[in-house]
Amino acid sequence: DAFIVKYATAVGQVELPMHRDGALLTVNIALNSFEEYVGGGTWVESSGRSVRAALGSVICHPSSVRHAGAPISDGTRYILVAFCISDLDVEHSRRFLGDGVALAKAGRVADARTCFQRSVAEDPSNQAAHYNLGNAQRAGGAFGKAAQSYKDALALDTPGPSMFADAYHGLAATQLAAGDAAASLATARLAMSLDEGLPTQQRSPAPRIAAGQATEALGDSDGAILLFDQALEMSRDSPSRADAHQARGRTLMGLGRLQESLEALDASLLAAPDTAQVHADRGVCLFEMERGKECLEAFDRSLRLQQDPEVAANAEQAAQYFGSK
C-alpha cells in the first residue's frame, strides 16, 4: 500500500500526530527538497528527535515504532508513504485495531468496540487499542469501563512525559460525562504538567480543551475560554482546532455572547465541516438569535450527518416555534 502525503501551511495541514502504523514496515520517501519548506521530518519517539530526509532519500522503520510527522512552519512538503504487509506474518492486534478505527469512522461503534477488544486480547501492550476501546466504550455510555481502558493505555507510557495526551483527554472527558468535574480537571491538569516536558512541536492541545470543559462545568466560564484560547494557539492540525473552537463556542453561548459563539462554531466547521454535533450546536445558537431559516438548516444538516433523538427534538421544537410566528 502506498500514497502521497502533502503538508502545507497554506491549508493548515502541517503535521501528523504520534501513532503506530498497521503494517510490518513503513517507508517514507522525500519528494521535494529542504528549500521548499521549513521544519518537518519524522519524529521518532524512542530517539526523541526528528529525522529529515533529503529529496529522494528514504526513511524506513518497523511500523510498530511510535512516530509522528513533525510540523512544518512554512512552505509545502511532499512525501510518498509506503507500507510492507505480509500475509504470512499477520500482526492480528494491529489488523483488528485498523478495522476498528475504520468501523468507528463509519459510525458502527459496537462493531468497532468488538474489534478493539480483540486487538487488546491479541496484544495487551497495544496502547492505541486500549485508547480506542476507551473511546468506543465512552461513546456507548460505559464510563467506568472507558475510564479503565484509558488508564490501561496510560499505564503503557514510557517513563517521563506522556506522549499520549489524547488518552488523558479521553479520561478527563469520561470523568466529566460521569459527573465528576473536579476529577476531570485534575486529570487534565496532570496531562498539562506532563506535556510541559515535551518539545514544543509535540505538545498536545487536547489536555487544554479537557481542562477548559471541566473548568466551565465548575462554573468558571472565563477561565475555560482562556484554556480554549491556549489550545487554539498550539493547534496546528484541523481536528484539534475544530474541537477547541467548538468548546469555545459552546461556552460563549452559555454566557449569552451569541455572535461570538456563532463565529467560533463556524470556525470549527471550517476545520471539520462534517461534524454533526457542531451543526446541532450552531442550530441552538441560531435559535437563540431568532434566525429561523438558518436554525432549521443547521439542525437538518446535523441530522443528515447523524441521527440523534435530542437534535431531532430540538429541530421539531424550532420548526413549531418559527412556524407559529
Side-chain angles (χ1 to χ4, degrees):
D1 189 18
F3 53 87
I4 292 175
V5 176
K6 174 183 177 181
Y7 298 99
T9 53
V11 298
Q13 177 60 45
V14 298
E15 65 183 331
L16 189 66
M18 191 69 66
H19 64 285
R20 289 186 176 95
D21 297 319
L24 292 178
L25 198 64
T26 297
V27 179
N28 294 330
I29 303 173
L31 298 182
N32 60 335
S33 66
F34 294 145
E35 288 75 18
E36 296 180 50
Y37 59 91
V38 178
T42 299
W43 176 272
V44 181
E45 179 185 53
S46 58
S47 70
R49 67 188 184 93
S50 290
V51 181
R52 302 181 72 208
L55 173 63
S57 298
V58 176
I59 297 173
C60 183
H61 59 81
S63 299
S64 59
V65 169
R66 277 168 55 82
H67 61 285
I72 63 169
S73 58
D74 191 32
T76 303
R77 175 189 176 218
Y78 291 97
I79 59 173
L80 174 66
V81 180
F83 302 109
C84 296
I85 303 170
S86 171
D87 290 335
L88 300 178
D89 187 13
V90 179
E91 295 196 34
H92 295 287
S93 179
R94 277 188 281 154
R95 183 65 60 84
F96 283 129
L97 174 61
D99 290 346
V101 170
L103 288 166
K105 288 181 178 179
R108 296 170 56 184
V109 178
D111 292 334
R113 183 172 62 247
T114 299
C115 281
F116 297 140
Q117 288 169 334
R118 295 180 72 178
S119 179
V120 167
E122 289 284 343
D123 181 7
S125 69
N126 190 329
Q127 188 181 36
H130 287 285
Y131 166 69
N132 281 281
L133 177 57
N135 287 344
Q137 290 166 330
R138 175 159 61 98
F143 300 131
K145 291 180 179 179
Q148 186 57 55
S149 291
Y150 291 131
K151 291 175 182 177
D152 290 341
L154 291 167
L156 294 168
D157 264 332
T158 53
S162 173
M163 301 297 285
F164 208 28
D166 284 350
Y168 280 108
H169 186 188
L171 177 57
T174 299
Q175 292 166 328
L176 184 60
D180 195 344
S184 176
L185 182 57
T187 296
R189 282 177 172 167
L190 173 60
M192 289 168 64
S193 68
L194 295 172
D195 200 44
E196 292 300 323
L198 296 177
T200 301
Q201 68 266 33
Q202 290 302 317
R203 292 179 185 171
S204 170
R208 278 82 182 166
I209 298 172
Q213 292 167 328
T215 298
E216 181 191 12
L218 291 169
D220 183 5
S221 296
D222 291 333
I225 290 173
L226 288 175
L227 286 161
F228 298 143
D229 288 341
Q230 289 177 19
L232 285 168
E233 287 175 4
M234 64 178 60
S235 297
R236 297 184 180 90
D237 63 300
S238 294
S240 294
R241 293 195 68 80
D243 290 344
H245 278 303
Q246 180 189 13
R248 190 174 187 276
R250 299 183 79 167
T251 300
L252 289 165
M253 196 189 315
L255 291 171
R257 294 160 59 179
L258 299 179
Q259 183 58 42
E260 293 176 80
S261 172
L262 184 62
E263 290 169 1
L265 295 172
D266 285 344
S268 178
L269 289 174
L270 188 63
D274 294 330
T275 308
Q277 187 56 56
V278 180
H279 285 285
D281 292 340
R282 193 170 180 274
V284 173
C285 185
L286 290 163
F287 179 85
E288 296 295 331
M289 298 175 78
E290 297 277 345
R291 290 164 62 170
K293 182 174 182 294
E294 293 170 273
C295 166
L296 296 175
E297 289 174 348
F299 282 135
D300 179 67
R301 174 64 172 159
S302 177
L303 290 168
R304 280 190 281 117
L305 288 167
Q306 178 181 315
Q307 287 297 313
D308 183 294
E310 184 178 347
V311 176
N314 287 339
E316 183 177 354
Q317 180 185 9
Q320 291 174 352
Y321 176 77
F322 290 116
S324 66
K325 297 192 69 175

